[in-house]
Amino acid sequence: MSRFILSLDQGTTSSRAILFDHDGKLVASDQNEFPQHFRQPGWVEHDAVEIWDSQLRAARGVLATADVSAGDIAAIGITNQRETTVVWDRATGRPIHPAIVWQSRQTAAICDELRARGLEAEVRRRTGLVIDAYFSATKIRFILDAVPGAQARAERGELAFGTIDSWLLWQLTRGGVHATEYSNASRTLIFNIHERSWDERLLGELRIPRALLPEVRDTSGVFGVADAEWLGAEIPIAGMAGDQQSALFGQGCTEPGRAKNTYGTGCFLLSNTGHDAPESQTGLVTTIGWGIDGDFVYALEGSIFVAGSAVQWLRDGIGLIEHAKDTEALARSVDDTGGVYLVPAFVGLGAPYWDERARGLLIGLTRGTSRAHIVRATLEAIAYQTRDVVECVRRDSGIELATLRVDGGAAENDFLMQFQADVLGVPIERPAVLEATAFGAALLAGLGIGFWGDRSEIVAADAGLRLFEPQMSADRRESLYAGWGRAVERSREWSDG
Ligand code: ADP
């Protein structure tokens, strides 16, 4: 009887492998960083072969660490950095171009052209997304243009496109399976989230040949079998999902109205909207959470570009702190920020403002402003940005959050979590294990292969959940939040570039 599920968590800066047991407990993990390539300013690329190598080493590493053999693994689940685009040669399995990473702005000109053709409303209606270099389709176009002969080869069916889930699946199955699933497909800008199929009109607009595309399958269920060469025995791959959707699932936000926020470098808030796919009027995107057995769950998503990285800036940029965790005691050492706000628009503002020209701003300084005030204002800014997105969810879907589930590195900060509860007026639920992303993929795989019959069997899932109840008065909450709104206005449309 196999005892574990192996979760492969392929992130933007590292590839991780985590073993979960039948109780849902994290048994062991391993992690390898891999290089980021910046050939030109604003470009971010990965070598897909380095991704695969680092992922395979992590998988082998975690089995060695835990002294577990492949025969003890019931299934593999994959979760991945989303949107990042790989095009490879079907015959050799070699990428024909560096993988273009979600963060990369190298396709901004292609996006301008699509907008100039008046496609914005059509793209939103079909895909739930906005025309932005963030999503995969313009990255595919870029690669087919950049590599001589690629367009013709793609049309002849000699090339394959995949997001990182498809790429890893192809590698694990030694080219046996070219597939993706609904959550990843819904981030490509060529997938119709209502018809749940590749969108012919958008494929035509972008001249992306159908023969390039993976088959789109259920999020949970057997995709194929990892070759015995990789880990020592054949193992089924039984679940895949994009990282944020995986976290939503891992956090147990499977009912409409349930939401999670991941506090990492940036923040990603996803709110389950059930079978409805509301079109955002406020700057969120609509995405597929997962599709299982003909049941499709949608989510509204708000992406905040700078959250934990503002704390890194305090540490590495201006040297106000030595360690990220120092922020908690410093923030608590003062009663408030003394009227100081930090708007961390270091790379412009994401949801709901989408202002590329906004820049960071520190305002409300007086002769009495101290280091502690600035540190506190930095943490508070993370919470205010989250509230901005929650307000949009409310307007787009009519959903009033009853609670917000949290995960990610900065969710360890108790001050931040309490302030978040206060500024939202909504209780925060923090699980003991903040590895929701990897856990979600394990869950999808374990359910997909019958390792678990249903979620209630997983005793460790909600163990040690900590609740942060709002304590602030409504008056104070609204007056602080109004101040944030005024500060944001002053940060906008600042840069000329
Ligand atoms: P990612 O997966 O995006 O790399 P993580 O989930 O690992 O991010 O979280 C790391 C981020 O959280 C970093 O930006 C770091 O500055 C921030 N962070 C980590 N611990 C704390 C803390 N105790 N308080 C505030 N921020 C923190």
Side-chain angles (χ1 to χ4, degrees), residues 331-343:
R332 284 190 200 284
S333 72
V334 285
D335 291 336
D336 53 39
T337 66
V340 173
Y341 287 91
L342 172 78
V343 183

Side-chain angles (χ1 to χ4, degrees), residues 13 263-266 308-309 311-312 324-325 327-328 379 408-410 412-413:
T13 57
Y263 298 79
T265 306
S309 60
V311 173
Q312 288 170 345
K325 64 174 171 14
T327 54
E328 184 165 343
L379 294 180
E412 276 175 30
N413 190 309

Side-chain angles (χ1 to χ4, degrees), residues 163-403:
T163 40
I164 297 297
D165 54 318
S166 301
W167 168 245
L168 293 178
L169 179 65
W170 172 279
Q171 293 298 332
L172 283 166
T173 61
R174 284 188 162 278
V177 184
H178 183 214
T180 183
E181 52 68 53
Y182 294 101
S183 74
N184 274 293
S186 74
R187 312 297 296 184
T188 56
L189 211 83
I190 42 174
F191 192 72
N192 188 311
I193 61 168
H194 308 288
E195 292 170 7
R196 275 109 43 178
S197 58
W198 298 116
D199 190 285
E200 293 297 344
R201 163 93 198 269
L202 297 178
L203 289 176
E205 293 286 351
L206 280 145
R207 291 188 303 116
I208 295 175
R210 185 98 196 187
L212 194 61
L213 305 178
E215 182 191 336
V216 185
R217 298 203 191 156
D218 274 11
T219 305
S220 181
V222 176
F223 287 83
V225 176
D227 194 275
E229 179 186 337
W230 304 131
L231 297 171
E234 290 191 342
I235 307 173
I237 299 132
M240 304 200 300
D243 52 9
Q244 300 309 323
Q245 287 97 329
S246 185
L248 188 69
F249 195 78
Q251 284 276 27
C253 298
T254 50
E255 300 296 322
R258 302 290 305 271
K260 71 89 199 174
N261 195 19
T262 300
Y263 298 79
T265 306
C267 272
F268 291 90
L269 190 141
L270 270 75
S271 177
N272 183 323
T273 57
H275 297 143
D276 293 335
E279 195 171 305
S280 177
Q281 308 296 328
T282 64
L284 305 182
V285 301
T286 313
T287 203
I288 299 183
W290 46 84
I292 303 172
D293 289 338
D295 190 40
F296 295 92
V297 168
Y298 292 87
L300 280 167
E301 171 172 332
S303 327
I304 295 163
F305 295 150
V306 174
S309 60
V311 173
Q312 288 170 345
W313 172 75
L314 290 179
R315 186 191 62 195
D316 308 334
I318 57 171
L320 280 196
I321 55 168
E322 211 175 322
H323 304 289
K325 64 174 171 14
D326 300 345
T327 54
E328 184 165 343
L330 271 165
R332 284 190 200 284
S333 72
V334 285
D335 291 336
D336 53 39
T337 66
V340 173
Y341 287 91
L342 172 78
V343 183
F346 302 146
V347 292
L349 287 169
Y353 307 102
W354 298 106
D355 182 347
E356 289 172 349
R357 293 172 53 219
R359 285 297 176 268
L361 164 147
L362 192 55
I363 200 165
L365 303 178
T366 65
R367 184 63 186 81
T369 300
S370 71
R371 175 167 82 113
H373 290 127
I374 294 172
V375 167
R376 183 170 171 132
T378 305
L379 294 180
E380 290 190 357
I382 299 173
Y384 291 131
Q385 293 187 98
T386 299
R387 166 128 181 216
D388 286 340
V389 170
V390 168
E391 294 292 335
C392 294
V393 169
R394 180 178 296 149
R395 273 181 270 146
D396 283 340
S397 67
I399 289 171
E400 299 281 347
L401 296 189
T403 59

